[in-house]
């Protein structure tokens, strides 16, 4: 009966030694071969497994197989694809030599690639081998890039371009990761703190999911969110906390939304005639449930197309 080569693949994004029970049973029962020492190999040795560094060659694996019957190949983070391909082709030609089994000892949880982004950013921010431009930045110097990337994402969403949305989301994520990494050196918090605060906020503001609160529909969900948010922020005015850097149309629409939600009646007319006319148009759009910022943007883009046609 042919022996077995177990190709053990593990996630490089999880701590060494975090393996399934099946994987631990296999590595403790059979010799483990690998191409280079690693934290994973060290963790297996510390737990009592026999791990040997050998040349990553099919002949070496087959020799070990002849001596032990079953051997485990601990793959590198890239999966040792070349070796696996060569071994698979050899066994396809000579199926009586051995069987090949792929065993996932651990795998990436959702969001694991964010850890790669953190690792890469740490390298970029290294004081000796990193990127001097990034190390020289501040939250203030990066702020314009955050706005620019956000607008590019907005454009991709407006254009209904999934590939562009994916790319632009990555650029926005870069800004988040970079700002958080800068904060480690200047403000004493990290991306983990940012994510931890977000998780806590999501749990607090969604009691219908995490605390069994009964809701009758989306309106109740929104009302709960706003009520909890108001209690957390303890704001003195309905318009406190509105982002003042946003475009004037969006700012006006947000203020109108806040005032309406608070049930206030405000007697107000801007002194400047142009401002009054523009303000009245935003009020009209708000009453009609329309987005004045999006409407003006669409008109501007249509005008841009008309200019190109006229040239």
């Amino acid at each position: 009966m042919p022996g077995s080569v177990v190709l053990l693949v593990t996630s490089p994004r999880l701590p060494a030694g975090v393996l399934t029970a099946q994987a631990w049973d296999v590595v403790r029962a059979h010799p483990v071969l690998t191409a280079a020492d690693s934290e994973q190999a060290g963790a297996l040795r510390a737990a009592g497994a026999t791990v040997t560094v050998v040349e990553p060659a099919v002949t070496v694996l087959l020799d070990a197989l002849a001596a032990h019957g079953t051997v485990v190949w601990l793959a590198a983070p890239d999966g040792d694809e070349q070796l696996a391909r060569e071994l698979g082709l050899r066994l396809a030609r000579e199926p009586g030599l051995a069987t090949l089994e792929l065993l996932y000892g651990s795998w990436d949880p959702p969001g694991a690639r964010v850890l790669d982004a953190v690792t890469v950013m740490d390298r970029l921010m290294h004081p000796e081998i990193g990127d001097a431009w990034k190390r020289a930045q501040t939250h203030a110097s990066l702020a314009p890039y955050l706005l620019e990337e956000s607008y590019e994402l907005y454009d991709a969403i407006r254009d209904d371009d999934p590939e562009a949305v994916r790319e632009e989301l990555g650029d926005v994520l870069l800004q988040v990761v970079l700002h958080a990494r800068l904060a480690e050196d200047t403000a004493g918090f990290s991306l983990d703190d940012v994510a931890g605060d977000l998780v806590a906020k999501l749990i607090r503001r969604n009691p219908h999911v995490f605390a069994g609160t009964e809701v009758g529909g989306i309106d109740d969900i929104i009302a709960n969110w706003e009520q909890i948010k108001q209690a957390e922020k303890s704001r003195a005015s309905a318009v406190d906390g509105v982002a003042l850097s946003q475009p004037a149309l969006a700012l006006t629409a947000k203020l109108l939304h806040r005032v309406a939600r608070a049930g206030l009646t405000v007697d107000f007319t801007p002194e400047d005639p142009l401002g009054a006319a523009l303000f009245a148009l935003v009020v009209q759009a708000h009453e009609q449930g329309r987005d004045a910022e999006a409407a003006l943007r669409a008109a501007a883009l249509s005008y841009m197309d008309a200019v190109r046609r006229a040239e």
Side-chain angles (χ1 to χ4, degrees):
M1 183 175 181
S4 179
V5 177
V6 180
L7 179 61
L8 177 60
V9 178
T10 61
S11 170
R13 300 175 186 90
L14 293 180
V18 176
L19 302 176
T20 63
Q22 181 185 9
W24 274 117
D25 288 344
V26 169
V27 299
R28 286 179 173 133
H30 306 288
V32 179
L33 308 180
T34 189
D37 265 322
S38 63
E39 291 185 5
Q40 193 71 269
L44 297 188
R45 288 194 188 98
T50 302
V51 183
T52 306
V53 176
V54 298
E55 179 187 358
V58 171
T59 54
V60 173
L61 271 173
L62 293 180
D63 288 344
L65 188 68
H68 301 286
T70 295
V71 293
V72 179
W73 180 263
L74 175 60
D78 64 0
D80 288 334
E81 294 181 4
Q82 182 64 29
L83 176 62
R85 186 180 302 108
E86 292 177 0
L87 180 60
L89 291 173
R90 176 71 179 273
L91 296 182
R93 293 193 303 268
E94 302 177 62
L97 283 178
T99 61
L100 178 60
E101 177 185 352
L102 176 62
L103 175 61
Y104 284 95
S106 60
W107 50 89
D108 291 345
R113 297 306 299 270
V114 176
L115 299 177
D116 290 347
V118 173
T119 299
V120 170
M121 186 57 66
D122 283 341
R123 175 68 178 269
L124 290 169
M125 295 294 289
H126 192 281
E128 298 175 358
I129 60 175
D131 178 67
W133 184 88
K134 289 180 178 58
R135 293 200 311 273
Q137 300 311 302
T138 65
H139 294 304
S141 69
L142 289 172
Y145 299 104
L146 177 60
L147 285 176
E148 179 182 353
E149 300 298 354
S150 298
Y151 279 125
E152 290 180 1
L153 173 58
Y154 184 97
D155 286 344
I157 294 171
R158 185 203 63 228
D159 294 340
D160 194 22
D161 186 340
E163 291 187 4
V165 169
R166 174 177 175 172
E167 179 181 355
E168 300 304 337
L169 280 171
D171 290 341
V172 172
L173 179 60
L174 166 61
Q175 297 300 311
V176 174
V177 174
L178 181 51
H179 276 279
R181 182 59 183 80
L182 287 172
E184 286 191 45
D185 299 329
T186 61
F189 67 83
S190 68
L191 185 61
D192 281 338
D193 298 312
V194 173
D197 291 346
L198 172 61
V199 169
K201 179 186 293 185
L202 290 174
I203 292 174
R204 285 196 314 270
R205 295 190 185 178
N206 291 278
H208 59 290
V209 176
F210 298 102
T213 299
E214 295 291 335
V215 294
I218 293 178
D219 289 342
D220 287 351
I221 293 173
I222 295 173
N224 282 342
W225 177 284
E226 295 297 342
Q227 182 179 5
I228 296 169
K229 180 179 179 180
Q230 184 175 1
E232 291 173 353
K233 299 295 184 179
S234 299
R235 289 169 174 158
S237 170
V239 295
D240 285 350
V242 173
L244 302 181
S245 298
Q246 60 186 308
L249 286 181
L251 172 60
T252 304
K254 186 65 175 180
L255 294 172
L256 292 171
H257 172 74
R258 286 283 192 91
V259 169
R261 192 178 66 202
L264 299 174
T265 300
V266 181
D267 184 14
F268 172 73
T269 302
E271 294 181 3
D272 178 69
L274 178 59
L278 293 172
F279 189 86
L281 287 174
V282 180
V283 171
Q284 181 181 349
H286 175 74
E287 292 173 347
Q288 295 174 354
R290 300 189 60 191
D291 185 338
E293 177 75 23
L296 182 58
R297 182 179 298 274
L301 293 176
S302 296
Y303 178 68
M304 184 185 297
D305 292 339
V307 170
R308 291 194 176 104
R309 290 193 298 270
E311 291 175 336

